Amino acid sequence: MFNLKLESFDAASKAKIIKEVKSMLGLSLVESKKFVESVPKVIKESVPKEEAEKIVASLKALGAVASME
């Protein structure tokens, strides 16, 4: 099981990252914006390896730096 952490993101892709976090965590748009702006921050905890790798890959594709711990 892994913890997923959003380390940083490209400023140009901030809106895309916020939308992804919003859909992933079920937060409101305002909560998602605050979450993304407070990086580095843990996104999800105790995630199976396969799911964690998919989430990290999708965030990286959007311009974010994410890690599995």
Side-chain angles (χ1 to χ4, degrees):
M1 299 302 250
F2 293 89
N3 292 338
L4 301 178
K5 188 174 190 179
L6 182 61
E7 303 285 347
S8 63
F9 58 90
D10 180 29
S13 61
K14 182 177 176 180
K16 293 177 190 173
I17 306 295
I18 291 171
K19 287 179 186 175
E20 182 68 18
V21 168
K22 180 180 182 291
S23 68
M24 191 183 313
L25 301 180
L27 300 174
S28 72
L29 191 58
V30 173
E31 291 170 325
S32 299
K33 184 176 184 285
K34 287 179 183 176
F35 185 94
V36 170
E37 290 174 343
S38 66
V39 294
K41 197 161 183 171
V42 173
I43 301 172
K44 286 190 170 189
E45 296 180 343
S46 301
V47 179
K49 184 178 181 182
E50 288 181 13
E51 183 182 343
E53 288 173 342
K54 288 178 187 176
I55 293 170
V56 168
S58 69
L59 288 170
K60 285 184 179 179
L62 295 173
V65 176
S67 64
M68 294 174 14
E69 299 175 345

